């Protein structure tokens, strides 16, 4: 398999003790009027990407009923998630987004960024997870039953921050009760981090005898295409803060880049001509040192020119309905099909 050089069988259990607070703290809410013009009384149709979870649940109540490949957004938020405990326990209730997110079913409720690719071919269906962050198990509890998911056939890792790997220990439920093992595809630099933060998943000699633990197979990938269950995956190297490398991934006409502050010139060539771009957009007003903000993300969309774009990784300054209402206007003014994603969004794709 191209790009997969090392396979290490692991089994262990423990709590992840290390995390990275790489998302910026809360700040006052900002209006998008300085970013996106607001023509009076303009009404645009709903984006074609508002594919409801109800429809998806109906379409995928059984694996055999899924007609084509699709991407399911398991999480679209920051490392601490939305709502923030600090906001919903504040007696002043000064954070409208977190107040809304506390309501069941609200699209502002966001867990750690991650997607599941349901790859449907004539020979069968495979479920490929991208990242397993701190809230992964909660996401799986909610969305796996709704979308008729059970197996996890592989996990692709974008980087080694806690919101991307903090849920690896929870994969024990699958390897104990659903399947014998799960392959993990990870860059060497991130595997070296896991040897410290998840040493018990790498060195099985430290496992207590008889412990009911997970069985993972780590595959080291390079920044070159590799294949997972008959799906060609092309790594998209980006910067996630100065000197910190993260990976996006391209599969078919879909490009997924969840954590990015700069895109190297050589990576653009791998992104062009994509049908769907999923891109980091942390906050409405500006970028941080580690993440695109909405203005920069929109500038990248204008440069890359994908057919459609869904933003992910939003913090609690991004009100789902209000921001999407403004983004819809860009379809009228510039022909840009851009929207915020949300947890539980299911998008049919061609892979």
């Amino acid at each position: 398999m191209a790009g997969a050089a090392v396979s290490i069988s692991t089994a262990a259990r423990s709590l992840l003790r290390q995390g990275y607070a790489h998302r910026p703290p809360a700040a006052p809410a900002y209006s998008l009027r300085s970013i996106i013009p607001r023509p009076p009384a303009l009404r645009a149709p709903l984006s074609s990407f508002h594919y409801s979870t109800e429809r998806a649940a109906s379409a995928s109540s059984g694996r055999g009923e899924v007609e084509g490949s699709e991407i399911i957004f398991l999480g679209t938020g920051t490392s601490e998630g939305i709502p923030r405990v600090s906001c919903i326990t504040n007696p002043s209730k000064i954070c409208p987004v977190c107040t809304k997110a506390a309501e069941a079913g609200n699209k502002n409720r966001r867990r750690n960024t991650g997607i599941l690719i349901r790859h449907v071919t004539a020979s069968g269906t495979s479920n490929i997870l991208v990242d397993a962050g701190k809230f992964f198990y909660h996401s799986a509890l909610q969305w796996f039953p709704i979308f008729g998911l059970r197996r996890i056939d592989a996990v692709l890792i974008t980087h080694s921050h806690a919101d991307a790997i903090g849920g690896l220990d929870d994969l024990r439920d699958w390897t104990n009760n659903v399947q014998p093992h799960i392959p993990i595809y990870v860059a060497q630099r991130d595997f070296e981090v896991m040897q410290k933060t998840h040493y018990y998943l790498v060195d099985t000699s430290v496992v207590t005898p008889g412990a009911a633990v997970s069985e993972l197979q780590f595959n080291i990938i390079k920044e070159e295409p590799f294949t997972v269950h008959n799906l060609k995956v092309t790594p998209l190297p980006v910067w996630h803060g100065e000197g910190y490398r993260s990976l996006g991934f391209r599969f078919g006409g879909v490009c997924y880049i969840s954590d990015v502050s700069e895109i190297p010139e050589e990576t653009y060539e791998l992104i062009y001509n994509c049908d769907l771009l999923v891109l980091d957009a942390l906050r409405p007003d500006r970028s941080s040192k580690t993440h695109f903000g909405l203005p920069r993300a929109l500038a990248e969309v204008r440069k890359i020119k994908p057919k459609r774009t869904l933003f992910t990784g939003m913090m609690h300054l991004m009100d789902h309905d209000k921001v999407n209402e403004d983004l819809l206007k860009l379809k009228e003014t510039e022909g840009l099909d851009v929207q915020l994603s949300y947890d539980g969004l299911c998008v049919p794709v061609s892979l």
Side-chain angles (χ1 to χ4, degrees), residues 238-246 257-264 268 279-280 287-293 296 300:
V238 297
W239 296 112
H240 179 24
E242 185 176 358
Y244 187 88
R245 197 76 150 179
S246 181
I257 306 174
S258 60
D259 295 81
V260 56
S261 58
E262 293 291 340
I263 300 177
Y268 282 108
L279 187 63
D280 188 11
S287 297
S288 73
K289 291 183 179 180
T290 52
H291 292 275
F292 284 166
R296 174 64 184 276
E300 295 294 336

Side-chain angles (χ1 to χ4, degrees), residues 20 160 165 188-198:
Y20 298 80
S160 52
I165 65 171
Q188 178 66 37
R189 60 181 171 273
D190 296 313
F191 178 70
E192 291 173 3
V193 173
M194 291 178 186
Q195 287 179 305
K196 299 175 182 178
T197 62
H198 290 77

